[in-house]
Amino acid sequence: MRAMVELQLESWREGFVPILPSAFRVPDVESFGPRLAEALRGEGVHSTLALERGRLLGWVTYGVNRDRDAGPYDGEIRSIFVHPDVWRTGVGSRLLEHALQGLDREGYRAATLWSFADNDRANRFYERHGFERDGGEQRREFSAGALEVRYRREIRAKV
């Protein structure tokens, strides 16, 4: 778990701190561990790690959609983090595709995910993988009120 926390915090330092309000503070490893553990557990939640020679490169968590307006066939990519040292090497793409296949096996027809509106790098990544903004927006205290936008992608045709 500690390696996951460290990777996520390093990813935040590199990718989020430059775009988030100045009030945002990256938490320390000890205080963030329980928050991450809580986010990873739950019925219908799956996590997959990307490892290379014992080194954690990234992970994805997906499953039951937490959005109030989600339909019964809407799954959610809850988190995807890749260590900055391996950004743009295909690790994130493989993790995302794995999650979409997992959601498909679970019977979901679409996937949603949340991204910071100003996170151009990540948003281009999601758009390259067929996600489009669906109009959903939110602001959370944890991220100092930064605007998050929801992306959506069909997984398979409706029956």
Side-chain angles (χ1 to χ4, degrees), residues 44-64:
V45 179
H46 309 279
S47 296
T48 301
L49 306 178
L51 300 166
E52 182 178 74
R53 289 184 222 117
R55 177 181 174 220
L56 179 62
L57 302 179
W59 85 87
V60 64
T61 302
Y62 59 95
V64 176

Side-chain angles (χ1 to χ4, degrees), residues 20-134:
L20 291 180
S22 60
F24 176 75
R25 296 289 177 256
V26 176
D28 61 56
V29 172
E30 288 72 28
S31 69
F32 190 69
R35 180 182 168 97
L36 179 59
E38 180 64 29
L40 297 175
R41 77 175 134 239
E43 191 171 334
V45 179
H46 309 279
S47 296
T48 301
L49 306 178
L51 300 166
E52 182 178 74
R53 289 184 222 117
R55 177 181 174 220
L56 179 62
L57 302 179
W59 85 87
V60 64
T61 302
Y62 59 95
V64 176
N65 198 308
R66 298 169 290 181
D67 295 337
R68 288 189 178 123
D69 62 346
Y73 296 104
D74 294 338
E76 181 182 7
I77 308 289
R78 292 177 168 217
S79 63
I80 182 167
F81 286 99
V82 174
H83 194 282
D85 289 349
V86 292
W87 284 352
R88 302 197 56 78
T89 65
V91 172
S93 292
R94 288 190 298 277
L95 285 168
L96 184 60
E97 289 303 321
H98 173 81
L100 291 169
Q101 291 169 7
L103 289 170
D104 184 38
R105 283 191 303 273
E106 296 272 323
Y108 294 105
R109 296 180 185 149
T112 63
L113 59 83
W114 290 93
S115 182
F116 292 113
D118 292 336
N119 194 344
D120 295 335
R121 180 192 52 79
N123 296 339
R124 282 191 305 270
F125 170 78
Y126 299 133
E127 290 164 5
R128 278 194 312 272
H129 286 277
F131 284 86
E132 296 177 347
R133 290 185 185 192
D134 73 357

